[in-house]
Amino acid sequence: MSEEINKPNNFIRNLIDADLDKGKNEGRVHTRFPPEPNGYLHIGHAKSICLNFGLARDYKGQCNLRFDDTNPQKEDEEFVDAIKEDVQWLGFDWGEQPFFASDYFDRLYDFAVQLIKQGDAYVCDLNAEETREYRGTLTEPGKNSPHRDRTVEENLVLFDGMRAGQFPDGAKLLRAKINMASPNINLRDPAIYRIRQGVIHHQTGDKWCIYPMYDYTHCLSDAIEGVTHSVCTLEFEDHRPLYNWFLETLKTEHHPQQIEFSRLNLQYAITSKRKLTQLVEQGAVDGWDDPRMSTISGMRRRGYPAASIREFCERIGVTKADNSIEMSTLESCIRDNLNENSPRAMAVLDPLKIVITNYPEGQTEDLTAPNHPQQEAMGTRNIPFGREIYIDRADFKEEANNKFKRLVKDKEVRLRNAYVIRCDDVIKNADGEIIELRCSYDDATLGAAPEGRKVKGVIHWVSAEHGVKAEVRLYDRLFNHPQPDSDKTVDDFMVHLNPDSLATRTECVLEPSLLTAEAGKVYQFEREGYFCADAKLSSESKLVFNRTITLRDTWAKIEQQS
RNA sequence: UGGGGCGUCGGCAAGUGGUAAGCCACCAGGUUUUGAUCCUGGCAUUCGUAGGUUCGAAUCCUGCCGCCCCAGCCA
């Protein structure tokens, strides 16, 4: 019973269970993840990846990574490589090698010849505009193309001529002969092959000057690979009759079942490859892997663990209903993982100097701090302590009521992993800005409660002498509208870009153990959040950290309310 | 308004005729050398809506309402 609770459960799995009960597909479950290499993968693709590879894993089947590379003008090898890296990083294995729809171009061509011979496809000379006019509208039927009744022989010659490069782009089109009056527009004699002269395909080079369309290619690729369950998003539901038409008309050996689910919509983020491309090309972000991007590579660079993205995909479920997932759902997955796995450290992002006047000048001591408060197995580390330290400006007030559990003039606070100090003096510059604090420490409070009084506040600190300088990048949501791309009151989603999505702090001071932090390894900077050294920008000579995510902050919430 | 799909708590989502799981968020307490974590408790007499069938309906039937997708030689 208790094992059942966490088992993913969704309508696709129910469907597969039913298929298995019926003995369909000889009990095989074979899925595929079919990205087009025309951009980087995003969080929405992660949902599909987890679904498809997860199905294969749980049903002891197989999931192919297949590049849907039928439109060379928009595609690039760079994207092929990035996609492979992302899928792998997410923790999935596509076996021997990735597949490419272009692997099947020869067979696809033969299938097209078969369609022509059967009288199920014809070469059409209408140009793009005429084709659109002949297609009709949503409420009016289309008209048959004047070339619809060409003979098989003529079609064969023409199609061969298309392949041989005898016609310029747009001059001819191979079309399926289905039904121009169908209420489903996808069935109004859809295009099968179009001409693309002089284009170099990233996989097949200049071998072809005609390229097959998605609807035609996808179902046949699935069939060729022996896919049993072809899972795609809802907008392809209208294409399913066409998917089935090609397979039935060509009498393929296998006939995979297309199943549609609803795509992910994440609030304050973009899950559209086209719009992510726009962000990159217009320079609104630093690139596809900008840590603010909802791309897999961006999230990786930001420090999101792969496991937390997988957990997220599990938590949101799989249905056919439109959805709008709150960012807090994703954030919860990230914090759960990071809280459990990341070692603690101390870092001061907005330094305020403190001199501990009763601490011997020139003295230094190594204090010991646990790397994780709940997990002893993570061990301890040494933190140097000295007469001069930094604390965060936000942790001091000259006056405050007792709800403020930090350092206040003439009051005490605990320095985390160290002593209790009292603030005796506040030093200001000519402009009245606080530039330094003079404090005294109680040397009986190391690892011990102070005598005769309670000190409830605890703040973090770094030794001024030993701390290392660093730049820290604080990220906020990239957009300030929950659905930036579906706001119909504006004509460009870019107006919803959050101007404060990146705040760079250049004067941060980190505890020295962080100097050798491995890029991408996430630490919790206690009381601040989770951070990792940036894989691209950080070096030992110039440390640059990304804030992966803040800690849950109920104090900020209380402050805001009052 | 032709075709396709979807409507269960603020956001997700189980539920498949036997009397509304779970998660996130939120609220109230407790522990705590991180205002973190953790722990305890609260959070849908009701399933878009109106009828009908039934001993019994979120589940079956009918009507209505709302939202999403489709007129690329993109995927």
Short mmCIF file of all heavy atoms in Angstrom, two decimals, chain A residues 70-71 126 194 238 319 324 326 339 344 403 416 447 524 552 554 557, chain B residues 2-3 10-13 24 26 33-37 72-75:
data_model
loop_
_atom_site.label_atom_id
_atom_site.label_comp_id
_atom_site.label_asym_id
_atom_site.label_seq_id
_atom_site.Cartn_x
_atom_site.Cartn_y
_atom_site.Cartn_z
N THR A 70 14.22 17.68 -40.06
CA THR A 70 13.70 17.73 -41.43
C THR A 70 13.69 19.14 -42.00
O THR A 70 13.22 19.36 -43.11
CB THR A 70 12.26 17.18 -41.47
OG1 THR A 70 11.45 17.93 -40.55
CG2 THR A 70 12.23 15.72 -41.10
N ASN A 71 14.17 20.12 -41.21
CA ASN A 71 14.16 21.50 -41.70
C ASN A 71 15.54 22.13 -41.52
O ASN A 71 15.76 22.91 -40.60
CB ASN A 71 13.09 22.31 -40.95
CG ASN A 71 12.90 23.69 -41.55
OD1 ASN A 71 13.55 24.05 -42.55
ND2 ASN A 71 12.03 24.47 -40.96
N LEU A 126 1.05 24.54 -57.49
CA LEU A 126 0.55 25.78 -56.87
C LEU A 126 1.66 26.41 -56.02
O LEU A 126 2.41 25.71 -55.35
CB LEU A 126 -0.63 25.43 -55.97
CG LEU A 126 -2.08 25.70 -56.39
CD1 LEU A 126 -2.27 25.71 -57.91
CD2 LEU A 126 -3.01 24.70 -55.72
N ARG A 194 8.95 19.29 -49.71
CA ARG A 194 9.15 20.60 -50.31
C ARG A 194 10.59 20.70 -50.83
O ARG A 194 11.47 19.95 -50.40
CB ARG A 194 8.81 21.72 -49.32
CG ARG A 194 9.79 22.03 -48.23
CD ARG A 194 9.80 21.03 -47.09
NE ARG A 194 10.11 21.72 -45.83
CZ ARG A 194 10.22 21.14 -44.66
NH1 ARG A 194 10.06 19.84 -44.54
NH2 ARG A 194 10.50 21.83 -43.59
N ASP A 238 -4.81 17.18 -33.33
CA ASP A 238 -5.47 17.32 -34.64
C ASP A 238 -4.71 16.62 -35.76
O ASP A 238 -5.25 16.40 -36.84
CB ASP A 238 -5.54 18.81 -35.03
CG ASP A 238 -6.60 19.55 -34.26
OD1 ASP A 238 -7.47 18.88 -33.67
OD2 ASP A 238 -6.56 20.79 -34.24
N THR A 319 -1.20 15.33 -17.59
CA THR A 319 -2.64 15.28 -17.90
C THR A 319 -2.86 15.94 -19.25
O THR A 319 -1.91 16.33 -19.91
CB THR A 319 -3.48 16.06 -16.86
OG1 THR A 319 -3.18 17.46 -16.99
CG2 THR A 319 -3.19 15.61 -15.45
N SER A 324 -0.85 25.96 -15.32
CA SER A 324 0.01 27.11 -15.08
C SER A 324 0.69 26.87 -13.75
O SER A 324 0.12 27.12 -12.69
CB SER A 324 -0.85 28.38 -15.04
OG SER A 324 -0.05 29.50 -14.85
N GLU A 326 2.99 27.16 -10.61
CA GLU A 326 3.61 28.25 -9.86
C GLU A 326 5.10 27.97 -9.68
O GLU A 326 5.51 26.84 -9.48
CB GLU A 326 2.93 28.38 -8.49
CG GLU A 326 1.52 28.91 -8.58
CD GLU A 326 0.80 28.92 -7.25
OE1 GLU A 326 1.31 28.27 -6.30
OE2 GLU A 326 -0.26 29.54 -7.16
N ASN A 339 18.92 21.55 0.39
CA ASN A 339 18.99 21.52 1.85
C ASN A 339 19.62 20.23 2.32
O ASN A 339 20.44 20.21 3.23
CB ASN A 339 17.59 21.66 2.44
CG ASN A 339 17.60 21.48 3.94
OD1 ASN A 339 18.33 22.15 4.65
ND2 ASN A 339 16.83 20.52 4.44
N ARG A 344 27.36 23.56 4.13
CA ARG A 344 27.14 24.94 4.57
C ARG A 344 28.46 25.71 4.55
O ARG A 344 29.53 25.12 4.70
CB ARG A 344 26.57 25.00 5.98
CG ARG A 344 25.39 24.05 6.29
CD ARG A 344 24.08 24.44 5.69
NE ARG A 344 23.64 23.44 4.76
CZ ARG A 344 22.41 22.90 4.73
NH1 ARG A 344 21.47 23.27 5.58
NH2 ARG A 344 22.11 22.01 3.82
N LYS A 403 11.71 42.24 18.10
CA LYS A 403 11.41 41.28 17.03
C LYS A 403 12.62 41.10 16.12
O LYS A 403 12.76 40.10 15.45
CB LYS A 403 10.23 41.79 16.18
CG LYS A 403 8.87 41.51 16.80
CD LYS A 403 7.76 41.95 15.86
CE LYS A 403 6.80 40.81 15.61
NZ LYS A 403 5.71 41.23 14.71
N ARG A 416 27.55 33.02 14.39
CA ARG A 416 27.37 31.59 14.08
C ARG A 416 28.70 30.84 14.15
O ARG A 416 29.71 31.30 13.63
CB ARG A 416 26.79 31.49 12.67
CG ARG A 416 26.78 30.08 12.11
CD ARG A 416 25.42 29.59 11.76
NE ARG A 416 25.03 28.58 12.70
CZ ARG A 416 24.47 27.42 12.36
NH1 ARG A 416 24.15 27.16 11.13
NH2 ARG A 416 24.17 26.54 13.26
N GLY A 447 30.72 27.68 21.78
CA GLY A 447 30.08 26.38 21.96
C GLY A 447 29.33 26.27 23.27
O GLY A 447 29.00 25.18 23.71
N GLN A 524 25.40 25.98 0.66
CA GLN A 524 24.46 26.90 1.29
C GLN A 524 25.28 27.95 2.02
O GLN A 524 26.08 27.61 2.91
CB GLN A 524 23.54 26.20 2.29
CG GLN A 524 22.50 27.18 2.84
CD GLN A 524 21.78 26.68 4.08
OE1 GLN A 524 22.09 27.06 5.20
NE2 GLN A 524 20.80 25.82 3.86
N ARG A 552 14.13 29.91 2.16
CA ARG A 552 12.79 30.37 2.48
C ARG A 552 12.94 31.46 3.53
O ARG A 552 13.73 31.33 4.46
CB ARG A 552 11.96 29.21 3.05
CG ARG A 552 10.56 29.18 2.51
CD ARG A 552 9.81 27.96 2.97
NE ARG A 552 8.60 28.41 3.64
CZ ARG A 552 8.35 28.21 4.92
NH1 ARG A 552 9.19 27.55 5.68
NH2 ARG A 552 7.23 28.65 5.42
N THR A 554 10.84 33.63 6.01
CA THR A 554 9.60 34.06 6.65
C THR A 554 9.75 35.43 7.30
O THR A 554 8.78 36.13 7.48
CB THR A 554 9.12 33.04 7.71
OG1 THR A 554 10.24 32.68 8.50
CG2 THR A 554 8.53 31.82 7.08
N LYS A 557 8.89 38.04 4.85
CA LYS A 557 7.43 38.06 4.69
C LYS A 557 6.78 38.87 5.82
O LYS A 557 5.89 39.69 5.59
CB LYS A 557 6.92 36.62 4.71
CG LYS A 557 5.62 36.43 3.98
CD LYS A 557 5.13 35.00 4.08
CE LYS A 557 6.11 34.00 3.51
NZ LYS A 557 5.69 32.61 3.77
P G B 2 -20.16 25.79 -36.22
OP1 G B 2 -21.51 25.55 -36.73
OP2 G B 2 -19.87 25.61 -34.79
"O5'" G B 2 -19.14 24.88 -37.06
"C5'" G B 2 -19.49 24.42 -38.36
"C4'" G B 2 -18.31 23.68 -38.93
"O4'" G B 2 -17.28 24.64 -39.30
"C3'" G B 2 -17.61 22.76 -37.94
"O3'" G B 2 -18.27 21.50 -37.83
"C2'" G B 2 -16.23 22.64 -38.57
"O2'" G B 2 -16.25 21.79 -39.70
"C1'" G B 2 -15.99 24.09 -39.01
N9 G B 2 -15.38 24.88 -37.94
C8 G B 2 -16.01 25.82 -37.15
N7 G B 2 -15.20 26.36 -36.26
C5 G B 2 -13.98 25.74 -36.48
C6 G B 2 -12.73 25.92 -35.83
O6 G B 2 -12.46 26.68 -34.90
N1 G B 2 -11.75 25.09 -36.36
C2 G B 2 -11.95 24.21 -37.38
N2 G B 2 -10.89 23.50 -37.75
N3 G B 2 -13.11 24.02 -38.01
C4 G B 2 -14.07 24.82 -37.51
P G B 3 -18.22 20.71 -36.44
OP1 G B 3 -19.06 19.51 -36.59
OP2 G B 3 -18.49 21.67 -35.34
"O5'" G B 3 -16.69 20.28 -36.35
"C5'" G B 3 -16.18 19.33 -37.27
"C4'" G B 3 -14.70 19.15 -37.04
"O4'" G B 3 -14.04 20.43 -37.24
"C3'" G B 3 -14.30 18.77 -35.63
"O3'" G B 3 -14.49 17.38 -35.38
"C2'" G B 3 -12.83 19.16 -35.62
"O2'" G B 3 -12.04 18.25 -36.35
"C1'" G B 3 -12.90 20.50 -36.38
N9 G B 3 -13.07 21.60 -35.44
C8 G B 3 -14.21 22.30 -35.14
N7 G B 3 -14.03 23.22 -34.22
C5 G B 3 -12.68 23.11 -33.90
C6 G B 3 -11.90 23.84 -32.96
O6 G B 3 -12.25 24.75 -32.20
N1 G B 3 -10.58 23.40 -32.94
C2 G B 3 -10.08 22.40 -33.72
N2 G B 3 -8.78 22.12 -33.55
N3 G B 3 -10.79 21.72 -34.60
C4 G B 3 -12.08 22.13 -34.64
P G B 10 -9.95 28.01 -4.53
OP1 G B 10 -10.65 28.74 -3.46
OP2 G B 10 -10.60 27.68 -5.81
"O5'" G B 10 -8.60 28.79 -4.81
"C5'" G B 10 -8.61 30.09 -5.39
"C4'" G B 10 -7.17 30.42 -5.67
"O4'" G B 10 -6.44 30.43 -4.42
"C3'" G B 10 -6.44 29.38 -6.50
"O3'" G B 10 -6.65 29.59 -7.88
"C2'" G B 10 -4.99 29.62 -6.09
"O2'" G B 10 -4.46 30.76 -6.70
"C1'" G B 10 -5.15 29.86 -4.59
N9 G B 10 -5.08 28.62 -3.82
C8 G B 10 -6.09 28.05 -3.08
N7 G B 10 -5.73 26.92 -2.51
C5 G B 10 -4.41 26.74 -2.90
C6 G B 10 -3.49 25.70 -2.61
O6 G B 10 -3.67 24.69 -1.91
N1 G B 10 -2.25 25.91 -3.21
C2 G B 10 -1.95 26.99 -4.00
N2 G B 10 -0.72 27.00 -4.50
N3 G B 10 -2.79 27.97 -4.29
C4 G B 10 -3.99 27.78 -3.71
P G B 11 -6.55 28.31 -8.89
OP1 G B 11 -6.87 28.82 -10.24
OP2 G B 11 -7.29 27.16 -8.33
"O5'" G B 11 -4.99 27.95 -8.84
"C5'" G B 11 -4.03 28.78 -9.48
"C4'" G B 11 -2.72 28.04 -9.56
"O4'" G B 11 -2.22 27.80 -8.22
"C3'" G B 11 -2.83 26.65 -10.15
"O3'" G B 11 -2.81 26.70 -11.57
"C2'" G B 11 -1.59 25.96 -9.57
"O2'" G B 11 -0.42 26.38 -10.23
"C1'" G B 11 -1.60 26.53 -8.15
N9 G B 11 -2.37 25.68 -7.23
C8 G B 11 -3.65 25.89 -6.79
N7 G B 11 -4.06 24.95 -5.95
C5 G B 11 -2.98 24.08 -5.86
C6 G B 11 -2.83 22.88 -5.11
O6 G B 11 -3.63 22.34 -4.35
N1 G B 11 -1.57 22.31 -5.31
C2 G B 11 -0.60 22.82 -6.12
N2 G B 11 0.52 22.13 -6.21
N3 G B 11 -0.73 23.94 -6.83
C4 G B 11 -1.93 24.52 -6.64
P C B 12 -3.37 25.45 -12.40
OP1 C B 12 -3.24 25.82 -13.81
OP2 C B 12 -4.68 25.02 -11.85
"O5'" C B 12 -2.27 24.35 -12.08
"C5'" C B 12 -2.59 23.00 -12.21
"C4'" C B 12 -1.42 22.17 -11.75
"O4'" C B 12 -1.12 22.47 -10.36
"C3'" C B 12 -1.71 20.69 -11.76
"O3'" C B 12 -1.48 20.15 -13.04
"C2'" C B 12 -0.73 20.18 -10.71
"O2'" C B 12 0.58 20.14 -11.21
"C1'" C B 12 -0.87 21.28 -9.65
N1 C B 12 -2.00 21.04 -8.73
C2 C B 12 -1.90 20.00 -7.79
O2 C B 12 -0.86 19.33 -7.74
N3 C B 12 -2.95 19.75 -6.96
C4 C B 12 -4.05 20.51 -7.04
N4 C B 12 -5.06 20.24 -6.20
C5 C B 12 -4.17 21.57 -7.99
C6 C B 12 -3.13 21.80 -8.80
P A B 13 -2.61 19.30 -13.73
OP1 A B 13 -2.05 18.79 -15.00
OP2 A B 13 -3.87 20.07 -13.72
"O5'" A B 13 -2.78 18.07 -12.71
"C5'" A B 13 -1.65 17.32 -12.32
"C4'" A B 13 -2.02 16.44 -11.16
"O4'" A B 13 -2.40 17.23 -10.01
"C3'" A B 13 -3.22 15.53 -11.40
"O3'" A B 13 -2.79 14.39 -12.13
"C2'" A B 13 -3.64 15.20 -9.97
"O2'" A B 13 -2.80 14.22 -9.41
"C1'" A B 13 -3.37 16.53 -9.25
N9 A B 13 -4.55 17.38 -9.12
C8 A B 13 -4.93 18.44 -9.91
N7 A B 13 -6.04 19.03 -9.52
C5 A B 13 -6.40 18.31 -8.38
C6 A B 13 -7.47 18.44 -7.49
N6 A B 13 -8.42 19.36 -7.60
N1 A B 13 -7.54 17.56 -6.46
C2 A B 13 -6.58 16.62 -6.35
N3 A B 13 -5.52 16.41 -7.12
C4 A B 13 -5.49 17.30 -8.13
P C B 24 4.81 19.85 0.05
OP1 C B 24 6.20 19.84 0.53
OP2 C B 24 3.68 19.89 1.01
"O5'" C B 24 4.61 21.07 -0.96
"C5'" C B 24 5.56 21.34 -1.98
"C4'" C B 24 5.07 22.48 -2.83
"O4'" C B 24 3.81 22.10 -3.44
"C3'" C B 24 4.72 23.75 -2.08
"O3'" C B 24 5.86 24.53 -1.81
"C2'" C B 24 3.81 24.45 -3.09
"O2'" C B 24 4.55 25.01 -4.14
"C1'" C B 24 3.01 23.26 -3.62
N1 C B 24 1.73 23.10 -2.90
C2 C B 24 0.70 23.98 -3.20
O2 C B 24 0.89 24.86 -4.06
N3 C B 24 -0.49 23.88 -2.56
C4 C B 24 -0.66 22.92 -1.64
N4 C B 24 -1.84 22.86 -1.03
C5 C B 24 0.39 22.00 -1.31
C6 C B 24 1.56 22.13 -1.94
P C B 26 3.86 30.37 1.51
OP1 C B 26 4.55 31.67 1.49
OP2 C B 26 4.46 29.21 2.19
"O5'" C B 26 2.40 30.58 2.11
"C5'" C B 26 1.53 31.57 1.60
"C4'" C B 26 0.16 31.40 2.18
"O4'" C B 26 -0.40 30.12 1.79
"C3'" C B 26 0.12 31.34 3.70
"O3'" C B 26 0.17 32.63 4.27
"C2'" C B 26 -1.21 30.65 3.94
"O2'" C B 26 -2.30 31.53 3.76
"C1'" C B 26 -1.22 29.61 2.83
N1 C B 26 -0.67 28.31 3.27
C2 C B 26 -1.51 27.45 4.00
O2 C B 26 -2.66 27.82 4.24
N3 C B 26 -1.04 26.26 4.42
C4 C B 26 0.22 25.91 4.14
N4 C B 26 0.64 24.72 4.57
C5 C B 26 1.11 26.77 3.41
C6 C B 26 0.62 27.95 3.00
P U B 33 19.92 26.08 20.07
OP1 U B 33 20.67 25.14 20.91
OP2 U B 33 18.83 26.92 20.64
"O5'" U B 33 20.98 27.01 19.35
"C5'" U B 33 20.56 28.26 18.82
"C4'" U B 33 21.50 28.66 17.71
"O4'" U B 33 22.79 29.01 18.27
"C3'" U B 33 21.74 27.56 16.69
"O3'" U B 33 21.52 28.11 15.40
"C2'" U B 33 23.23 27.22 16.84
"O2'" U B 33 23.86 26.98 15.60
"C1'" U B 33 23.79 28.52 17.42
N1 U B 33 25.04 28.38 18.16
C2 U B 33 26.18 28.82 17.50
O2 U B 33 26.16 29.27 16.39
N3 U B 33 27.34 28.67 18.21
C4 U B 33 27.46 28.19 19.48
O4 U B 33 28.56 28.14 19.99
C5 U B 33 26.22 27.76 20.09
C6 U B 33 25.08 27.87 19.43
P U B 34 20.19 27.81 14.56
OP1 U B 34 19.05 28.53 15.15
OP2 U B 34 20.08 26.36 14.29
"O5'" U B 34 20.58 28.53 13.20
"C5'" U B 34 21.25 29.80 13.23
"C4'" U B 34 21.03 30.46 11.89
"O4'" U B 34 21.68 29.65 10.87
"C3'" U B 34 19.56 30.57 11.51
"O3'" U B 34 19.35 31.83 10.90
"C2'" U B 34 19.35 29.46 10.49
"O2'" U B 34 18.44 29.84 9.50
"C1'" U B 34 20.74 29.34 9.86
N1 U B 34 21.01 28.00 9.35
C2 U B 34 21.28 27.91 8.00
O2 U B 34 21.31 28.89 7.25
N3 U B 34 21.51 26.65 7.55
C4 U B 34 21.51 25.50 8.30
O4 U B 34 21.75 24.42 7.75
C5 U B 34 21.22 25.68 9.68
C6 U B 34 20.98 26.90 10.14
P G B 35 18.36 32.81 11.64
OP1 G B 35 18.25 33.85 10.60
OP2 G B 35 18.83 33.13 12.97
"O5'" G B 35 16.98 32.15 11.97
"C5'" G B 35 16.13 31.29 11.40
"C4'" G B 35 14.74 31.88 11.39
"O4'" G B 35 14.77 33.22 11.94
"C3'" G B 35 14.19 31.97 9.98
"O3'" G B 35 12.87 31.49 9.98
"C2'" G B 35 14.22 33.47 9.68
"O2'" G B 35 13.03 33.89 8.99
"C1'" G B 35 14.12 34.08 11.06
N9 G B 35 14.73 35.42 11.19
C8 G B 35 15.84 35.95 10.63
N7 G B 35 16.07 37.18 10.99
C5 G B 35 15.02 37.49 11.84
C6 G B 35 14.70 38.66 12.55
O6 G B 35 15.32 39.72 12.58
N1 G B 35 13.54 38.53 13.29
C2 G B 35 12.77 37.39 13.35
N2 G B 35 11.70 37.43 14.10
N3 G B 35 13.06 36.27 12.71
C4 G B 35 14.18 36.40 11.98
P A B 36 12.52 30.02 9.55
OP1 A B 36 11.29 30.12 8.74
OP2 A B 36 12.54 29.26 10.80
"O5'" A B 36 13.70 29.43 8.63
"C5'" A B 36 13.81 29.83 7.27
"C4'" A B 36 14.79 28.91 6.58
"O4'" A B 36 16.05 28.94 7.29
"C3'" A B 36 14.41 27.44 6.57
"O3'" A B 36 13.51 27.13 5.53
"C2'" A B 36 15.76 26.78 6.37
"O2'" A B 36 16.17 26.87 5.03
"C1'" A B 36 16.66 27.67 7.25
N9 A B 36 16.75 27.14 8.62
C8 A B 36 16.20 27.65 9.76
N7 A B 36 16.44 26.91 10.83
C5 A B 36 17.18 25.85 10.35
C6 A B 36 17.73 24.72 10.98
N6 A B 36 17.61 24.48 12.29
N1 A B 36 18.42 23.85 10.22
C2 A B 36 18.53 24.09 8.92
N3 A B 36 18.05 25.13 8.20
C4 A B 36 17.38 25.97 8.98
P U B 37 12.38 26.06 5.78
OP1 U B 37 11.78 25.83 4.45
OP2 U B 37 11.53 26.45 6.92
"O5'" U B 37 13.17 24.74 6.21
"C5'" U B 37 13.99 24.05 5.27
"C4'" U B 37 14.75 22.96 5.97
"O4'" U B 37 15.53 23.52 7.04
"C3'" U B 37 13.88 21.91 6.65
"O3'" U B 37 13.42 20.93 5.74
"C2'" U B 37 14.86 21.33 7.66
"O2'" U B 37 15.75 20.44 7.05
"C1'" U B 37 15.61 22.58 8.11
N1 U B 37 15.04 23.18 9.33
C2 U B 37 15.27 22.52 10.53
O2 U B 37 15.91 21.49 10.60
N3 U B 37 14.72 23.11 11.64
C4 U B 37 13.97 24.26 11.68
O4 U B 37 13.54 24.66 12.75
C5 U B 37 13.78 24.89 10.39
C6 U B 37 14.30 24.35 9.29
P G B 72 -1.60 28.91 -43.08
OP1 G B 72 -2.08 30.08 -42.37
OP2 G B 72 -1.18 28.98 -44.49
"O5'" G B 72 -0.42 28.24 -42.24
"C5'" G B 72 0.01 26.94 -42.58
"C4'" G B 72 1.34 27.01 -43.30
"O4'" G B 72 2.23 27.76 -42.44
"C3'" G B 72 1.96 25.66 -43.56
"O3'" G B 72 2.54 25.71 -44.86
"C2'" G B 72 3.07 25.58 -42.55
"O2'" G B 72 4.16 24.86 -43.03
"C1'" G B 72 3.48 27.06 -42.42
N9 G B 72 4.20 27.41 -41.23
C8 G B 72 5.53 27.71 -41.14
N7 G B 72 5.90 28.03 -39.94
C5 G B 72 4.72 27.95 -39.20
C6 G B 72 4.50 28.20 -37.84
O6 G B 72 5.31 28.56 -36.98
N1 G B 72 3.16 28.02 -37.48
C2 G B 72 2.18 27.63 -38.35
N2 G B 72 0.99 27.50 -37.85
N3 G B 72 2.39 27.39 -39.62
C4 G B 72 3.67 27.58 -39.97
P C B 73 1.82 25.09 -46.09
OP1 C B 73 1.30 26.17 -46.92
OP2 C B 73 0.93 24.00 -45.63
"O5'" C B 73 3.07 24.44 -46.83
"C5'" C B 73 3.85 23.47 -46.17
"C4'" C B 73 5.26 23.53 -46.69
"O4'" C B 73 5.22 23.56 -48.13
"C3'" C B 73 6.00 24.78 -46.24
"O3'" C B 73 7.27 24.35 -45.78
"C2'" C B 73 6.15 25.62 -47.51
"O2'" C B 73 7.43 26.23 -47.60
"C1'" C B 73 6.08 24.55 -48.60
N1 C B 73 5.56 25.03 -49.89
C2 C B 73 6.50 25.26 -50.90
O2 C B 73 7.70 25.09 -50.65
N3 C B 73 6.07 25.64 -52.12
C4 C B 73 4.78 25.80 -52.33
N4 C B 73 4.41 26.16 -53.55
C5 C B 73 3.81 25.59 -51.32
C6 C B 73 4.24 25.20 -50.11
P C B 74 8.10 25.13 -44.66
OP1 C B 74 8.27 26.53 -44.99
OP2 C B 74 9.29 24.27 -44.48
"O5'" C B 74 7.17 25.01 -43.37
"C5'" C B 74 7.21 23.88 -42.56
"C4'" C B 74 8.06 24.17 -41.34
"O4'" C B 74 7.42 25.24 -40.59
"C3'" C B 74 8.17 23.04 -40.36
"O3'" C B 74 9.20 22.17 -40.75
"C2'" C B 74 8.54 23.79 -39.09
"O2'" C B 74 9.89 24.18 -39.09
"C1'" C B 74 7.67 25.05 -39.22
N1 C B 74 6.38 24.96 -38.52
C2 C B 74 6.34 25.24 -37.14
O2 C B 74 7.40 25.51 -36.57
N3 C B 74 5.16 25.18 -36.49
C4 C B 74 4.05 24.87 -37.15
N4 C B 74 2.91 24.84 -36.47
C5 C B 74 4.06 24.56 -38.55
C6 C B 74 5.24 24.62 -39.19
P A B 75 8.97 20.60 -40.62
OP1 A B 75 10.15 19.99 -41.27
OP2 A B 75 7.61 20.26 -41.07
"O5'" A B 75 9.04 20.34 -39.06
"C5'" A B 75 10.22 20.59 -38.32
"C4'" A B 75 9.88 20.60 -36.85
"O4'" A B 75 8.92 21.65 -36.61
"C3'" A B 75 9.17 19.34 -36.36
"O3'" A B 75 10.08 18.32 -36.03
"C2'" A B 75 8.39 19.85 -35.16
"O2'" A B 75 9.23 19.99 -34.04
"C1'" A B 75 7.97 21.24 -35.64
N9 A B 75 6.63 21.22 -36.25
C8 A B 75 6.30 20.91 -37.53
N7 A B 75 5.01 20.97 -37.78
C5 A B 75 4.45 21.35 -36.56
C6 A B 75 3.12 21.59 -36.16
N6 A B 75 2.07 21.48 -36.96
N1 A B 75 2.91 21.94 -34.88
C2 A B 75 3.96 22.05 -34.07
N3 A B 75 5.26 21.86 -34.32
C4 A B 75 5.44 21.51 -35.61
#
